[in-house]
Amino acid sequence: MPQNTTKIKKCLFPAAGYGTRFLPATKAIPKEMLPILTKPLLQYGVEEALGAGVGNMAIVTGRGKRAIEDHFDISYELEHQIKGTSKEHYLTEIRSVITKCTFSYTRQIEMKGLGHAILCGEPIIGYEPFAVILADDLCDNDGGDSVLSQMVKLYEKYQCSIVAVEEIPAEDSNKYGVIAGNEEESGIFRVTDMVEKPEPKDAPSNLAIIGRYILTPDIFDIIRETKPGKGGEIQITDALLAQAKKGKVIAYKFKGKRFDCGSVDGFVEATNYFYNKSKA
Ligand code: G1P
């Protein structure tokens, strides 16, 4: 089967992490279910995928994440309680998401890194190109094409793996995968090197990968061969480097804003941003 010519139909959401930075809130609630205003982070991600024409959600969960499955399902009791009342509209958005998408779940049994989480999704994804959204990177392009939509369009042209990148201050390089590349078009780089969480002195540029990827399915075999890297974990950055060495990774400086909702500061910033937007 040709691996790189298919349309992107599936989006993988790694959602097995513990969310330790948000304890005690995340003791019994998955971090992906923390809300920005009234909507869980993961629902923002699912809506972004859906808006990009990607309707099949592949969610990699772990222990204690059942609330995610319940969220993307009908709650008969709730439906019954509010049907015909003035409160019914609160469910409109989530009902629409549920009817337009499919949701498949698999579990990551051990936390062995983002690369490993993505590999756990292989049985759901199969052998076709797919998107990856890290729900704690919340993106918004203020009415324009979402970050994933921009990337899906780019995939039609480049037919290879794509990572979304943004410029970061030098001192933050140890929080991200950082790339080096040659700019082929404005904001589009052919990646030549990538390093997971380098110290500022070792960073190959100031372009950091954020939680949006399009991956070609050969990545699964590469991940299987990838040795544990930074933090003793199997890193997707290291697996992508093998594709990059063959000229098969594009880094794309996306249009829009991105909030690091995995940190309390970014979470508060996103909350204020969406609150102000809702009042505008
Ligand atoms: C992961 C990736 C990293 C990427 C980041 C984006 O790191 O390993 O390369 O830059 O997501 O949010 P994490 O934030 O899970 O530590």
Side-chain angles (χ1 to χ4, degrees):
M1 201 199 325
Q3 60 165 272
N4 295 341
T5 52
T6 333
K7 196 172 169 297
I8 311 292
K9 293 183 297 229
K10 295 177 185 166
C11 185
L12 190 147
F13 293 86
Y18 298 124
T20 39
R21 279 188 283 177
F22 279 87
L23 282 169
T26 48
K27 198 168 165 232
I29 295 170
K31 66 171 175 162
E32 298 76 14
M33 292 302 293
L34 295 177
I36 297 293
L37 307 189
T38 56
K39 193 154 66 178
L41 279 171
L42 187 56
Q43 191 180 331
Y44 284 92
V46 165
E47 288 177 4
E48 183 176 333
L50 191 57
V54 181
N56 301 306
M57 312 302 158
I59 305 183
V60 179
T61 67
R63 285 177 291 281
K65 301 280 186 167
R66 285 190 199 155
I68 294 178
E69 293 190 41
D70 289 339
H71 184 72
F72 294 106
D73 195 357
I74 297 218
S75 163
Y76 282 104
E77 196 177 325
L78 193 57
E79 296 278 340
H80 178 74
Q81 283 294 327
I82 71 171
K83 196 166 178 57
T85 74
S86 59
K87 295 179 181 154
E88 206 172 349
H89 68 99
Y90 290 124
L91 286 179
T92 313
E93 233 176 6
I94 183 68
R95 275 181 187 158
S96 153
V97 168
I98 293 166
T99 49
K100 289 181 187 150
C101 307
T102 69
F103 293 90
S104 307
Y105 299 89
T106 189
R107 278 198 184 200
Q108 185 182 15
I109 307 293
E110 288 175 281
M111 301 303 117
K112 294 204 267 184
L114 179 57
H116 177 255
I118 291 173
L119 184 58
C120 289
E122 185 185 24
I124 310 180
I125 300 294
Y127 205 75
E128 60 185 49
F130 61 102
V132 177
I133 289 184
L134 307 185
D136 51 15
D137 273 345
L138 179 53
C139 295
D140 186 64
N141 190 23
D142 217 5
D145 273 359
S146 71
V147 177
L148 195 66
S149 289
Q150 296 165 41
M151 294 170 77
V152 164
K153 284 185 186 156
L154 209 60
Y155 179 78
E156 284 168 18
K157 175 167 180 192
Y158 285 93
Q159 305 272 311
C160 68
S161 290
I162 303 174
V163 295
V165 293
E166 74 176 356
E167 286 180 15
I168 49 150
E171 67 268 23
D172 285 348
S173 66
N174 57 8
K175 296 183 190 156
Y176 300 95
V178 180
I179 68 115
N182 301 317
E183 196 161 14
E184 293 203 346
E185 295 178 52
S186 172
I188 298 175
F189 301 81
R190 184 73 61 177
V191 176
T192 52
D193 193 13
M194 49 209 308
V195 188
E196 180 67 9
K197 304 199 173 95
E199 289 309 316
K201 65 176 178 30
D202 303 319
S205 77
N206 65 343
L207 291 175
I209 302 169
I210 64 127
R212 298 289 180 281
Y213 304 76
I214 288 183
L215 302 175
T216 53
D218 54 309
I219 199 74
F220 292 126
D221 279 341
I222 300 172
I223 298 172
R224 259 187 283 278
E225 298 297 317
T226 301
K227 302 267 176 305
K230 194 85 187 183
E233 297 188 331
I234 298 171
Q235 300 293 349
I236 190 61
T237 308
D238 295 339
L240 278 162
L241 179 58
Q243 290 185 331
K245 284 183 176 154
K246 295 181 183 151
K248 295 284 190 192
V249 180
I250 291 291
Y252 169 58
K253 242 169 129 178
F254 63 93
K255 295 183 180 61
K257 283 184 189 303
R258 167 251 175 196
F259 299 95
D260 173 14
C261 293
S263 76
V264 174
D265 285 351
F267 192 91
V268 171
E269 211 185 308
T271 302
N272 289 331
Y273 170 84
F274 282 97
Y275 181 73
N276 289 333
K277 212 175 143 172
S278 76
K279 297 290 171 195

